[in-house]
């Protein structure tokens, strides 16, 4: 096929196609956005035998992209476009894969999607080839999803399961799919723990179908892209769209927007709740969580006393991770998971103890708390009287008259705060 490209806009390179089935051979895949997700999707498309047109308006990405894709001049055809391009070239591709950082309003993507063209998110493109034997545990929500996904992955790894942890967190799912196709000597991937952002669900998924999916919470954020809380909730609930049978969906109790949106997206899902039964309930003082899945009658207890993560909210994060892992139905119970609690570690910048100095002052980094609700959770979960360094710029919240900082007044009464400017 021909591409209408400006002179000097395209470079031609080749990469080895390792996937023996070559299911996309003879097809052209356009990848829009060449950050981590787009780069991984490019490698995956080439491994599946496609001719690939990789596009990004940022010309500075060219050397980084070439290095990360590990291009080989003796292999299959790849065309790259950096800088401005004619949107018409996307219409000529058989499949268009969109990175999460690219809004559908750009490049005529929304019109193409509405016209029936195969426009996929990077997440969905990867899900096409994740082995059917691999269980997917998907975690989304406004806050806490990286921590819960990390805890779930650590639990599974501690118990000896071959586990991928990534998605919106660190390594794109396309990288896991690429490795499944090309690494014949590795152990089969048993579980993929995938952190999912609302941007990754903006294009309704066709192939992404978790065994367990969690929406941890929903508070005002990313409204510059989703416009309203109802749109935001509906986008999040797309994570349940193709889940049927024994698959488990976990939701926070009593969120108005999610309660409305779930009616359109979770007809075949067994629902559990954070804060009710079936679901997970945490006794912070006793450091015990009750776990009850909708598909089994018995209630399990998870012992949380050995959790080293700072903040009471991390007891809930660990308990939700445990319920999610049990829901995978891979013969893991609460007793086995209790043995992993002492090994759980938070990610950098998320209630991370970075130093205990000579005066026995503990320094905690929670700089990933980038909205009011995340900051609030950290404050109420930190029992020790503290001095806080707070700063940054307020996010626009279209549904409220204020930016929500009044929520911090009550918890700050128990601490001392130093307010800094951005």
């Amino acid at each position: 096929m021909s591409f209408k490209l400006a002179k000097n806009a395209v470079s031609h390179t080749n990469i080895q196609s390792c996937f023996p089935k070559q299911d996309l051979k003879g097809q052209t895949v356009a990848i829009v956005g060449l950050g981590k997700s787009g780069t991984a999707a490019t490698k995956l498309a080439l491994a599946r035998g496609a001719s690939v047109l990789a596009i990004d308006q940022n010309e500075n990405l060219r050397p980084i992209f070439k290095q990360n894709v590990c291009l080989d001049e003796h292999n299959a055809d790849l065309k790259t476009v950096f800088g401005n391009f004619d949107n018409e070239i996307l219409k000529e591709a058989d499949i268009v894969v969109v990175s999460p950082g690219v809004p559908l309003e750009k490049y005529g993507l929304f019109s193409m999607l509405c016209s029936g063209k195969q426009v996929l998110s990077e997440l969905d493109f990867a899900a096409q080839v994740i082995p059917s034997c691999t269980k997917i545990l998907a975690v989304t929500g406004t806050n806490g999803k990286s921590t819960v996904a990390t805890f779930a992955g650590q639990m599974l790894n501690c118990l000896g399961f071959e586990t991928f942890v990534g998605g919106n967190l660190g390594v794109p799912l396309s990288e896991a799919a690429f490795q499944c196709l090309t690494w014949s000597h590795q152990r089969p991937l048993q579980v993929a723990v995938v952190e999912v952002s609302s941007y990754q669900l903006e294009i309704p998924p066709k192939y992404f179908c978790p065994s367990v999916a969690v929406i941890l919470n929903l508070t005002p954020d990313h409204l510059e892209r989703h416009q309203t809380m109802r749109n935001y909730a509906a986008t999040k609930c797309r994570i349940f769209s193709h889940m049927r049978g024994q698959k488990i969906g976990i939701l926070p109790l009593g969120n108005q927007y999610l309660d409305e949106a779930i009616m359109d997206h979770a007809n075949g899902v067994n629902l559990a709740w954070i804060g009710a039964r079936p679901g997970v309930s945490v006794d912070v003082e006793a450091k015990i969580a009750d776990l009850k899945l909708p598909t089994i009658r018995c209630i399990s207890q998870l012992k949380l006393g050995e959790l080293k993560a700072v903040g009471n909210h991390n007891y809930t994060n660990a308990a939700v991770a445990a319920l999610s892992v049990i829901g995978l139905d891979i013969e893991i119970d609460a007793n086995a998971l209790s043995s992993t609690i002492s090994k759980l570690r938070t990610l950098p910048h998320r209630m991370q103890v970075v130093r205990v100095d000579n005066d026995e002052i503990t320094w905690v980094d929670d700089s990933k708390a980038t909205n009011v609700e995340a900051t609030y959770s950290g404050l109420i979960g930190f029992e020790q009287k503290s001095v806080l360094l707070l700063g940054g710029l307020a996010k626009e919240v279209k549904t409220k008259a204020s930016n929500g900082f009044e929520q911090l007044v009550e918890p700050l009464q128990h601490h001392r705060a130093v307010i800094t400017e951005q």
Side-chain angles (χ1 to χ4, degrees), residues 168-242:
N168 186 59
L169 168 67
V171 183
L173 187 61
S174 287
E175 186 63 41
F178 176 79
Q179 292 179 10
C180 286
L181 297 183
T182 59
W183 289 15
S184 58
H185 62 278
Q186 71 175 3
R187 288 177 58 193
L189 181 63
Q190 293 172 284
V191 181
V193 180
V194 187
E195 180 192 320
V196 182
S197 74
S198 58
Y199 292 0
Q200 292 173 300
L201 295 167
E202 194 170 48
I203 299 172
K206 297 179 180 178
Y207 305 100
F208 186 67
C209 183
S211 297
V212 176
V214 185
I215 302 179
L216 293 167
N217 43 56
L218 191 83
T219 58
D221 206 357
H222 305 305
L223 296 184
E224 73 286 350
R225 185 143 163 182
H226 299 300
Q227 301 302 313
T228 69
M229 286 296 292
R230 282 187 169 82
N231 289 345
Y232 187 26
T235 301
K236 288 288 192 185
C237 284
R238 286 175 182 159
I239 202 168
F240 303 120
S241 295
H242 303 294

Side-chain angles (χ1 to χ4, degrees), residues 4-64:
K4 301 173 184 176
L5 302 172
K7 189 176 181 180
N8 300 325
V10 181
S11 64
H12 297 262
T13 323
N14 295 313
I15 189 171
Q16 178 66 43
S17 181
C18 306
F19 184 30
K21 292 184 179 179
Q22 299 282 287
D23 67 321
L24 295 181
K25 195 170 184 64
Q27 298 188 55
T28 298
V29 176
I31 312 289
V32 185
L34 301 179
K36 280 186 179 181
S37 295
T39 299
T42 299
K43 291 168 58 180
L44 178 59
L46 291 167
R48 295 172 66 182
S51 297
V52 176
L53 175 64
I55 302 171
D56 200 294
Q57 284 197 322
N58 185 354
E59 296 183 6
N60 295 327
L61 284 179
R62 185 190 300 270
I64 301 171

Side-chain angles (χ1 to χ4, degrees), residues 18 26 35 45 69 99 114 116 129 176 186 207-208 214 248 250 254 273 300 339 355 361 379 388 407 417:
C18 306
V69 175
S99 296
C114 291
V129 291
Q186 71 175 3
Y207 305 100
F208 186 67
V214 185
I248 306 293
I250 302 174
W273 307 95
S300 303
S339 70
R355 186 186 178 197
I361 296 174
L379 287 174
L388 288 97
Q407 295 178 57

Side-chain angles (χ1 to χ4, degrees), residues 1 30 86-94 96 107-108 111-112 117:
M1 67 181 297
D86 185 347
N87 294 352
E88 290 297 312
I89 63 174
L90 296 178
K91 296 180 181 179
E92 298 180 13
D94 298 292
V96 178
Y107 315 128
S111 296
M112 282 187 276
K117 189 173 188 65

